[in-house]
Amino acid sequence: VLRVYKAAVQQTLEVLFLPEGREFLTSTDAVSRDSADRTIVAWDFQSAAKISNQIFHERYTCPSLTLHPKESVFVAQTNGNYMALFSAQRPYRINKKKRYEGHKVEGFAVGCEFSPDGTLLVTGSSDGKVFFYNYHTSRSIRTLSAHKEACVRAIFHPVLPSLLATCDWAGEIKIWQ
């Protein structure tokens, strides 16, 4: 063990290293009735100090974080049935003009990911569907009925970007082209 970082007593849901690796983000389940001001925490990798815990101010947990492959932004999947876009540079501001809506999370740890070229954002949905969003417009451009159970992950193949893997809550995995 090289370093230990302690968020608090809540569960850590996700870890995301930012470009260059000097900082990283964690997602926790620290929510109250009115706010979730510690849901996403930014950390300094070298000192283990918290840089910011005031990134996301809504009352939803964020089970998944994903970094854009070409731009300095990241997306947080929220349990509020939308994905929020943030700057991946200090002060990590939310883009209030872009929200990716239409899919359902409903308490599942649904993951999200950008396509290798950064033009698409894909996510599963608690109703078993996979949603494809245009990154620039934030509009849903395609929906795929993928599973009978909640689709908790959709991920592009790293070498063959025309392939997509999905998996559901019951353990079924499918490869799509």
Side-chain angles (χ1 to χ4, degrees):
V1 175
L2 297 176
R3 290 178 189 82
V4 176
Y5 306 82
K6 185 68 177 153
V9 295
Q10 69 271 7
Q11 175 186 5
T12 298
L13 304 172
E14 178 76 287
V15 177
L16 177 69
F17 280 99
L18 294 176
E20 301 176 21
R22 291 191 297 264
E23 297 169 358
F24 67 94
L25 304 169
T26 58
S27 169
T28 69
D29 65 355
V31 296
S32 67
R33 235 176 357 159
D34 302 323
S35 175
D37 65 353
R38 293 181 318 258
T39 299
I40 300 174
V41 178
W43 299 85
D44 180 84
F45 178 71
Q46 292 296 339
S47 69
K50 287 182 189 176
I51 298 168
S52 176
N53 63 355
Q54 301 291 317
I55 297 172
F56 186 60
H57 296 284
E58 297 189 27
R59 64 181 187 274
Y60 304 112
T61 58
C62 299
S64 178
L65 306 172
T66 190
L67 195 60
H68 191 278
K70 297 182 179 185
E71 297 182 19
S72 188
V73 296
F74 72 93
V75 166
Q77 174 76 268
T78 76
N79 279 336
N81 297 324
Y82 68 91
M83 292 178 285
L85 183 68
F86 295 84
S87 167
Q89 296 176 334
R90 291 186 198 188
Y92 312 110
R93 290 205 162 96
I94 190 170
N95 182 332
K96 294 183 181 183
K97 296 178 183 175
K98 278 192 185 178
R99 278 171 61 144
Y100 303 86
E101 300 176 301
H103 63 287
K104 298 175 185 170
V105 178
E106 297 177 342
F108 289 94
V110 175
C112 57
E113 181 179 83
F114 286 101
S115 61
D117 66 1
T119 60
L120 299 175
L121 181 60
V122 65
T123 184
S125 184
S126 63
D127 58 6
K129 295 178 183 172
V130 175
F131 285 76
F132 295 84
Y133 294 92
N134 178 304
Y135 162 65
H136 296 289
T137 66
S138 67
R139 291 194 177 118
S140 176
I141 57 172
R142 184 171 183 194
T143 304
L144 182 66
S145 293
H147 297 273
K148 293 178 184 170
E149 299 288 327
C151 180
V152 294
R153 193 73 165 122
I155 185 167
F156 289 96
H157 189 280
V159 179
L160 305 169
S162 66
L163 297 183
L164 181 78
T166 62
C167 63
D168 71 9
W169 186 250
E172 183 176 68
I173 302 163
K174 294 181 179 180
I175 305 295
W176 305 80
Q177 186 167 23

